[in-house]
Structures are given as C-alpha cells and as structure tokens.
Amino acid sequence: MSVMQQATFNEVVTLRQAKRLIQCMAQEQSFLLLSAPGIGKSEMVYEAAREAGLPCRSLLGTQIAPEDVSGVPRIVGERSVFCPPRILLPERPEPFCLFLDELPACAPDVQKAFYSLLLERRLGEHALPPGTWVVAAGNRLQDRALVRAMSSALVNRVTILQIRHDVDEWLAWAQRAGIRQDIRSFIATVPDALMRPVPADPVPFSTPRAWSLLSRALDMAQKGGLLNGETRRALAFGRLSPEDAAVFCALAEETLGPVQPIATYIEKPDLLPKGDSARWFILDCIRQFVRDGRADGFAPRILNRFLTALSPEHQLIVLTDMVEKWGALGADKAMFALLNKVARG
C-alpha cells in the first residue's frame, strides 16, 4: 500500500475536531465528511451551524436530479435564465449552511452539477450569499452503503475529512442530549460497543445513531407503560449488534443499575454485582482493563485485596491467561493464596 493510500485510512479527525474546522473555514472552503454509517455527521453539521447562528438547509443526494441543482430555465426577453431552487438560493441574500447529505451516493450527472457550487460558490450566474457554508457528507466505499465512485474533479473541489468516532466525545454529547443513564454507563464500560464494523449482511449493528435511537425508543416505551424484558429485547435486537443487545439486556434484567467505572470495582470489590451475568460481564471488563495496561497505576495491596475478595472460581476467570500480567502488577500474594487453596481443594 502506498503512502497516499495509507493516509486515506489513517489521517482521521473526531467529530469535534471536524466541527471546529468547519466553523473556522467553511465560509470559504467546501468540506466532504466521510465515515461509516451512523457516526453522527449530520447532527454535528446542524450543531455547528446552530452554534454559528446560521440556518441549515439540506439536500439528500439520492433524491435529487441535476436540475434540482442548476435550476430550470425561463425566458427573459430573448434569453434563457436558469432559476436556482429556493433551498440553494433563497430570496433573502443572507448566509446559511448548505448541507449536501449523501453526496458520494449521487448519480454522476448530479455530482457534476455540484462542481461550481463546491468550488466557486456559484449556481450558474448566481453567487451564494457571502459567508455561506457548503458542507457535504457521505459514507465510504468499504461501508457497503449506496456509494458511487467520485470523480477526481469532484474530489479536488473539496477538503475531505475522514471522521472517526470518539467514545469520550460521544459520552459528553450523550449527557447533554439526555441519552439514558443505563446506555451511557454501558458504553463507558464497553467502549467497543459504541461502534461495530459494518456487517456483511443487512442486519442491525451498533453505531452512535443506533444507541441514540434506542434510548429514545426505550424512553417512549417506558412512558407508555410498555417497557419490560420482552420489549426491551425486541427494541435492542432491532437496533444493535446481537452481542451488544444480549449483554445490554442481560444487565438491565438483573437490575445492575448504573455501571461504575472499572477502576471503582477494583478499589471496592464489594460493589461488584451479585447476579451471575452481570458479575461475569464486569469481571470480563476488568480483564480487558488489566490487559490494556490501565491498571498499571494501582498499588499491589489494592490488587491483592481485590483478588482475594473474589471466590476461587471468579479469581480463575480473571487470572486465566493473564498470570504473568497480574504478577508484574504485584498481585503475587493473592495468586499464591489461590494456588494453595486449589491445591488443598
């Protein structure tokens, strides 16, 4: 893979970073945001425009024809004049944010119609109001979405930003947006569940958008008196990757309550949930926590106290294939005690 090909995948920014770039430059330069589906690009663009005091008007690339961009002709005197659509050129010449959603999914002739708009901020002989933003978004070819190859002429007219999800950013947004506490706690504990790879088959999979919509669905079901184990599972499996839906529902049905930060369970093992599924889930998260090196700052006495507070069976779950890692952290005392207990067993 060449350096340029490698950069396509590695040079990425978060939604927050992309928003700042848009607010700084979009009055002069056009942007194209690319990412996997459901990451929150559209919401970010609306939020960026709202913060800048600009109304946001959007066009959906898959539902427009070339004349929806260039306008339709009418005769004025002895000449034809193209009349751009109102959404692209409102009567009042005030700046706004023009959001071109699903631009990579447009037909080639529609993409071509956007050339002068993206580069010169013009629709034929009509210029966009000064200060107007032009921001486009779409999915990537590898996402198995409805995406067409973009011409080099189109690519050269925009600044392409590859967007990645960021768990901390999403959690901060989710709190502001009123996302349910149980969902926020779950994502804080299992950050990989926020965004799963796009599956080969057209089945539900976990994305920031899916979690947001699930939160709203659960709130409505609860308000309507319909929320129970059965409806929770139906809604979760209808939105999320199966593995995330199964664990999320199992924890909810065991009334785990808000999930604490993993470090808290190590410091205070008495807070570990009592239910088998919930306890297994937290212990598995602790294994990942230790494996990733995030427990390296703990004093050995805290780690030994945590391990000895567990049953022998649960200690084995935590230690399996990680004895050397726990030993390097100074948990030898607890491991020797477990070995003696098993030997006497």
Side-chain angles (χ1 to χ4, degrees):
M1 182 177 289
S2 70
V3 173
M4 291 300 293
Q5 289 174 314
Q6 186 73 27
T8 301
F9 294 97
N10 289 344
E11 302 304 319
V12 295
V13 295
T14 68
L15 284 170
R16 185 167 177 239
Q17 291 169 329
K19 183 171 77 169
R20 289 179 173 177
L21 289 170
I22 288 169
Q23 291 173 329
C24 177
M25 307 177 191
Q27 73 277 7
E28 292 186 7
Q29 299 193 15
S30 300
F31 285 89
L32 172 58
L33 314 177
L34 296 178
S35 77
I39 205 170
K41 300 183 296 295
S42 302
E43 177 64 27
M44 181 273 287
V45 173
Y46 286 116
E47 186 177 281
R50 187 167 57 249
E51 291 177 2
L54 296 177
C56 193
R57 302 184 175 93
S58 64
L59 281 177
L60 192 61
T62 53
Q63 298 180 3
I64 58 177
E67 57 268 23
D68 294 325
V69 180
S70 58
V72 295
R74 68 184 176 93
I75 302 300
V76 178
E78 297 181 354
R79 292 176 173 80
S80 62
V81 177
F82 280 85
C83 302
R86 182 176 295 168
I87 192 171
L88 295 180
L89 199 68
E91 287 86 352
R92 298 177 62 182
E94 297 178 349
F96 63 97
C97 172
L98 176 59
F99 180 42
L100 308 174
D101 202 3
E102 297 186 9
L103 178 63
C106 293
D109 53 347
V110 176
Q111 292 185 11
K112 186 176 180 180
F114 280 125
Y115 283 0
S116 63
L117 179 67
L118 292 167
L119 183 62
E120 302 169 359
R121 306 303 176 90
R122 300 187 66 84
L123 294 165
E125 62 190 54
H126 303 279
L128 293 178
T132 293
W133 296 359
V134 181
V135 182
N139 303 129
R140 307 161 302 181
L141 285 171
Q142 65 264 36
D143 295 319
R144 291 185 282 276
L146 296 174
V147 175
R148 303 171 188 265
M150 292 183 293
S151 71
S152 58
L154 175 63
V155 169
N156 199 239
R157 283 168 163 78
V158 295
T159 297
I160 296 179
L161 298 179
Q162 299 276 350
I163 308 296
R164 67 173 175 86
H165 73 282
D166 182 274
V167 174
D168 291 335
E169 278 189 14
W170 187 84
L171 288 172
W173 170 85
Q175 185 166 14
R176 297 194 305 270
I179 301 299
R180 292 170 64 94
Q181 175 64 45
D182 53 354
I183 287 179
R184 287 188 280 126
S185 296
F186 184 82
I187 297 301
T189 307
V190 193
D192 288 348
L194 178 61
M195 185 82 201
R196 298 295 186 184
V198 178
D201 299 317
V203 296
F205 64 104
S206 301
T207 65
R209 177 168 59 202
W211 284 107
S212 175
L213 293 172
L214 175 62
S215 176
R216 179 60 181 153
L218 293 173
D219 282 344
M220 289 190 290
Q222 188 169 15
K223 185 176 180 180
L226 301 174
L227 186 58
N228 54 35
E230 186 176 4
T231 56
R232 180 185 289 104
R233 286 191 294 274
L235 293 171
F237 277 90
R239 283 286 183 194
L240 308 175
S241 300
E243 63 271 26
D244 296 329
V247 176
F248 175 74
C249 291
L251 294 177
E253 289 162 13
E254 285 197 357
T255 63
L256 174 62
V259 179
Q260 302 294 326
I262 293 303
T264 301
Y265 292 111
I266 296 176
E267 294 170 349
K268 301 177 181 178
D270 56 308
L271 294 180
L272 285 168
K274 307 305 179 187
D276 290 337
S277 297
R279 179 168 283 232
W280 173 88
F281 166 72
I282 296 298
L283 291 177
D284 190 60
C285 291
I286 290 173
R287 281 175 51 84
Q288 188 64 47
F289 186 85
V290 173
R291 183 184 294 114
D292 293 345
R294 289 180 285 167
D296 292 356
F298 281 94
R301 61 178 180 80
I302 294 177
L303 298 175
N304 281 287
R305 185 181 64 194
F306 165 73
L307 288 174
T308 54
L310 303 178
S311 69
E313 293 77 15
H314 288 148
Q315 287 186 60
L316 289 172
I317 289 174
V318 171
L319 293 172
T320 299
D321 298 327
M322 295 180 59
V323 171
E324 290 186 4
K325 181 66 175 177
W326 282 97
L329 293 174
D332 309 74
K333 183 178 178 180
M335 290 193 292
F336 280 127
L338 174 63
L339 181 62
N340 290 331
K341 191 178 296 184
V342 172
R344 291 197 306 266

